[in-house]
Amino acid sequence: MLRLTNIRKVFNPGTVNEKVALDGVSLTVNDGDFATIIGSNGAGKSTLFNCIGGSFYVDEGSIFLDDRDITYVPEYKRAVDIGRLFQDPMKGSAPHMTIEENLALAYLRVNKKKSVFSRITSAERKMFRERLALLNMGLEDRMKQPVGLLSGGQRQALTLLMATLIPPKILLLDEHTAALDPATADKVIELTKRIVEENHLACLMITHNMHSALNMGNRTLMMDSGRIILDISGEERDGLTVDGLLEKFSAGAGKELDNDRILFSKVE
């Protein structure tokens, strides 16, 4: 379980460029929760992920993961329990290393029973191959090839697999299909649903697509000006339309949503 209490993050404090990126955010994500997050640019979505992942420390508030205070735990230590995918498919893997080497690195980094300098066994190599086969991309037959030869969609699918070889306590997906073509994005979304469901993962997914925000997972959050202004689930979410979501945003934010990218997704 992830628990945030009164998180606040301010950039350039005390200057003319001061920006309150997170303004008293409190959030609890239970095991098995799959929450989508939507909001305009600058709403605080990626800053929220950076605070959870440890890219920088919060100015106020606390962050707990399974009742362990990780507020000031370094990013590299949090990475053992927190999986993360970025919008850029090139960010999650090492292009000059082979598919097998990338998988081995990801596996050993989070395997608390083995040293990162351990050798991969034949059984583990077989497991990598079996997991790759589940992606239905033929990557199991290309394990000795450099990752840099893969397409963006293949790299993002591989990164998703790397982040979940050993299920993390929470998975952060930061618009992980935004840079992919529609057909490939749909495939990665289906992989995401399956992996999250099969491993009963707690997951937060940032999206600009309003349909995805309502149709994926079991919970939808909307952010504006560094605050969570809407958190819906259950029957209220099940019966909600995109127009209804826009109305709730207006009521919570006190203004109309003006992000063209999000509004364009309304007509999909």
Side-chain angles (χ1 to χ4, degrees):
M1 180 180 74
L2 175 72
R3 179 162 49 89
L4 312 179
T5 305
N6 294 321
I7 294 299
R8 183 175 172 84
K9 182 64 185 178
V10 181
F11 295 109
N12 305 311
T15 72
V16 294
N17 295 317
E18 179 174 304
K19 166 69 175 177
V20 179
L22 295 175
D23 188 10
V25 172
S26 294
L27 174 67
T28 297
V29 182
N30 294 309
D31 295 341
D33 267 354
F34 186 167
T36 57
I37 305 176
I38 196 164
S40 301
N41 292 333
K45 306 181 300 298
S46 291
T47 302
L48 177 67
F49 275 20
N50 285 330
C51 287
I52 295 170
S55 299
F56 42 67
Y57 296 144
V58 298
D59 298 323
E60 297 176 21
S62 56
I63 304 173
F64 285 82
L65 190 60
D66 283 355
D67 295 322
R68 181 169 69 97
D69 190 344
I70 63 169
T71 310
Y72 299 108
V73 172
E75 183 176 20
Y76 75 93
K77 289 187 177 180
R78 296 191 202 190
V80 175
D81 296 313
I82 299 174
R84 189 171 182 183
L85 268 73
F86 298 88
Q87 180 174 334
D88 185 353
M90 308 302 138
K91 272 192 173 183
S93 52
H96 300 298
M97 296 173 67
T98 66
I99 292 174
E100 182 181 310
E101 288 169 341
N102 272 271
L103 287 168
L105 191 62
Y107 178 74
L108 293 173
R109 181 175 59 85
V110 299
N111 191 327
K112 296 176 182 178
K113 297 180 181 179
K114 302 188 73 166
S115 163
V116 72
F117 300 107
S118 301
R119 293 177 64 88
I120 292 296
T121 66
S122 57
E124 289 165 339
R125 194 170 290 109
K126 180 183 178 184
M127 182 266 288
F128 292 165
R129 185 179 176 84
E130 290 172 348
R131 294 289 186 88
L132 283 168
L134 294 175
L135 300 180
N136 294 315
M137 293 182 172
L139 300 184
E140 67 275 13
D141 297 321
R142 302 172 62 183
M143 289 179 61
K144 298 299 183 182
Q145 291 187 6
V147 166
L149 298 178
L150 303 182
S151 68
Q154 289 171 329
R155 284 185 72 162
Q156 203 68 311
L158 176 63
T159 303
L160 179 61
L161 179 59
M162 289 166 60
T164 55
L165 271 175
I166 295 178
K169 291 182 178 177
I170 189 160
L171 180 64
L172 306 178
L173 306 173
D174 193 348
E175 290 195 85
H176 67 307
T177 63
L180 307 178
D181 65 84
T184 305
D186 287 344
K187 191 165 188 176
V188 172
I189 284 291
E190 289 307 312
L191 285 171
T192 301
K193 289 179 182 177
R194 191 183 76 208
I195 288 174
V196 170
E197 220 171 87
E198 288 176 354
N199 293 285
H200 197 61
L201 296 178
C203 179
L204 291 172
M205 186 184 86
I206 295 172
T207 179
H208 270 93
N209 187 296
M210 300 193 74
H211 294 277
S212 293
L214 286 174
N215 296 331
M216 288 190 69
N218 66 317
R219 187 174 170 190
T220 297
L221 310 176
M222 291 195 84
M223 293 190 69
D224 180 68
S225 302
R227 298 175 296 118
I228 295 175
I229 61 170
L230 181 69
D231 183 352
I232 56 170
S233 58
E235 291 183 4
E236 181 184 13
R237 181 180 186 262
D238 292 341
L240 194 62
T241 63
V242 170
D243 286 334
L245 188 59
L246 286 171
E247 289 175 7
K248 286 184 176 294
F249 175 89
S250 299
K255 62 182 180 182
E256 298 293 323
L257 182 66
D258 59 0
N259 184 280
D260 290 341
R261 188 173 166 198
I262 295 177
L263 292 174
F264 181 74
S265 77
K266 177 186 173 186
V267 301
E268 292 183 359

